[in-house]
Amino acid sequence: MRYGYWMPVFGGWLRNVEDENMQASWDYVSRLARRSEELGYDITLVAELLLNDIKGINAPSLDAWSTAAALVAVTHTLEVMVAVRPSFHPPALLAKQAATIDRISNGRLSLNVVSAWWKDEARRYGVAFDEHDDRYARTSEWLDVVSSAWREEKLDYSGKYYTIDELVLEPKPIARTERPRPTIYAGGESDAAKRMITRQCDAYVMHGDPPERIAPKIADMRRLRDQASEALGVELPPLQFGVAGYAIVRDSDAEVREEIARITSVTPGTPGYGNYADWIANTKLEQRVSIEDYSVSNRGLRAGLIGTPEHVAARVEEFAEAGVDLLLLQSSPQLEEMERFSAQVMNAGASGSAVHSSGVAA
């Protein structure tokens, strides 16, 4: 199992707590990134929203790409997965920027390709907003351009959304046998999303759900991957699989219940509540999302990484058995809770039941 975390570029994850002691600042995120390497975390996800959907649109939020470029310069082992929304970034320019950052990091950059959901944000920033399936059609072309630009000496491309004439991109990203290009992660629960991911991406990242729901999703995506290989006439490498989760590790069940109650009291009028309807309207989810689910991002509480250290470690093992390679964690306050998770779950020692990055139960 690999362990990752969401970089709190929005100043926190809770829609009902104004100050989580994790400022949307370079001082905080750079300190967190450096400490996370010492704690044994493998990867961080830098989300991309130009407005703050957690604390309200008037609250600060850091730009994903400039933050990612700075983070790779002050870290040594951490993979930096930066989110990118195709409608906000022309593909040839993004391919150039990503290749440069990948070189700076010595091959530690990866992409989280997101087909944008926030219509009001696009309006405020003057960006076109396509309907759901059109967004995925655009994303598919966008991925064609980016992947080809990283591979070809000179690129010509003509599609519905993008036209490229004689593109030259040098230097290219660092290529290794185990990683021929920056890893492309993507998520989505619609048929359009799954078709695109199984044909063009390297890893599938899922919203929080328990292992018994994740296992059939993985089996389905593996089946679709095989079908894509057959249709394309190439042997695509196996997909990697990640799950988002909100982690609460406490010494007793009573402490767990108290913390859940603290973080889920989201009501109308709470900062960020107004974006709930926009998100629901512009996504195609497999499950109905409750206000409690929305209290933290990506259905994180449903992953069930909640309880005593022994319970959470056992849950991690269940995810590994289901085929999950990566857990992307949120918590609040992020640094303090990551310290706890590292000590009590990831690196609890031979006497405990912690699951280490090797995936072997200690």
Side-chain angles (χ1 to χ4, degrees), residues 266-305:
V266 176
T267 58
T270 303
Y273 177 87
N275 305 323
Y276 175 67
D278 202 355
W279 183 56
I280 294 296
N282 290 299
T283 55
K284 292 185 178 180
L285 300 175
E286 294 173 331
Q287 304 176 56
R288 182 180 178 86
V289 178
S290 69
I291 289 293
E292 180 174 293
D293 291 325
Y294 186 70
S295 299
V296 302
S297 298
N298 302 97
R299 296 201 303 257
L301 291 174
R302 289 193 188 182
L305 296 167

Side-chain angles (χ1 to χ4, degrees), residues 123-170:
R123 176 187 66 82
R124 290 173 183 269
Y125 273 83
V127 176
F129 188 85
D130 300 320
E131 294 305 315
H132 182 274
D133 285 3
D134 289 333
R135 294 202 299 275
Y136 280 99
R138 177 187 294 275
T139 298
S140 181
E141 280 196 15
W142 189 93
L143 283 168
D144 281 343
V145 174
V146 171
S147 298
S148 298
W150 286 342
R151 183 180 64 248
E152 305 292 341
E153 290 186 9
K154 184 177 292 185
L155 175 64
D156 294 298
Y157 185 91
S158 179
K160 177 180 177 181
Y161 300 96
Y162 303 108
T163 299
I164 304 295
D165 294 321
E166 297 185 296
L167 172 66
V168 175
L169 190 153
E170 293 292 345

Side-chain angles (χ1 to χ4, degrees), residues 18 83 103 192 237 256 274:
E18 183 176 353
R103 287 279 169 174
V256 170

Side-chain angles (χ1 to χ4, degrees), residues 12 34-35 42 46 84 88 91 111 121 127 129 138 208 253 265 276 294 336-337 343:
R34 291 191 294 266
R35 179 58 179 153
D42 302 286
V46 184
V84 56
F88 286 72
L111 305 186
E121 181 205 33
V127 176
F129 188 85
R138 177 187 294 275
D253 291 339
S265 59
Y276 175 67
Y294 186 70
E336 290 82 349
E337 293 296 327

